[in-house]
Amino acid sequence: MPGDPGSSIDFCFDGRPMTGRVGQSVAIALWDAGIRTLRRSAVDGGPRGMFCAIGICQECVVEIGDVRRPACTTLVRAGMDVRSILDLPSGRAR
Ligand code: FES
């Protein structure tokens, strides 16, 4: 793992600069920053975020680069470009 455990690393969420710590998941780094909504429901547009925190529920899925991944099981890395997902009721993502 690059960097000392617990040392600061910079990444982006929806274009906003964030700071995480080596060894944290993306979800925990965002939680520490006060961010709870990671995506919107495809059914009703309601906010979704970390729920199980162990990679089961998929409520925390975000886009990292061009790939959708659970934020709770993805380690935050320096320079990551993380984006929330707005799943429209039609099934189209923004
Ligand atoms: S919070 Fe359940 S998969 Fe991430």
Side-chain angles (χ1 to χ4, degrees):
M1 181 182 314
D4 295 327
S7 62
S8 295
I9 48 178
D10 296 326
F11 68 105
C12 286
F13 179 68
D14 285 344
R16 296 174 2 218
M18 298 281 157
T19 300
R21 301 239 171 241
V22 171
Q24 280 185 321
S25 69
V26 170
I28 293 298
L30 292 171
W31 184 274
D32 282 354
I35 294 171
R36 304 291 187 263
T37 301
L38 302 180
R39 67 179 187 88
R40 295 277 170 181
S41 166
V43 175
D44 62 6
R48 296 291 186 265
M50 188 165 55
F51 184 67
C52 74
I54 57 172
I56 303 291
C57 73
Q58 303 296 300
E59 292 290 348
C60 68
V61 170
V62 292
E63 273 187 1
I64 300 172
D66 293 334
V67 180
R68 290 184 173 194
R69 300 170 189 247
C72 70
T73 56
T74 303
L75 291 178
V76 69
R77 302 230 185 260
M80 259 184 172
D81 179 21
V82 181
R83 291 180 307 280
S84 59
I85 296 172
L86 175 60
D87 280 318
L88 303 175
S90 66
R92 289 180 38 214
R94 73 176 161 129

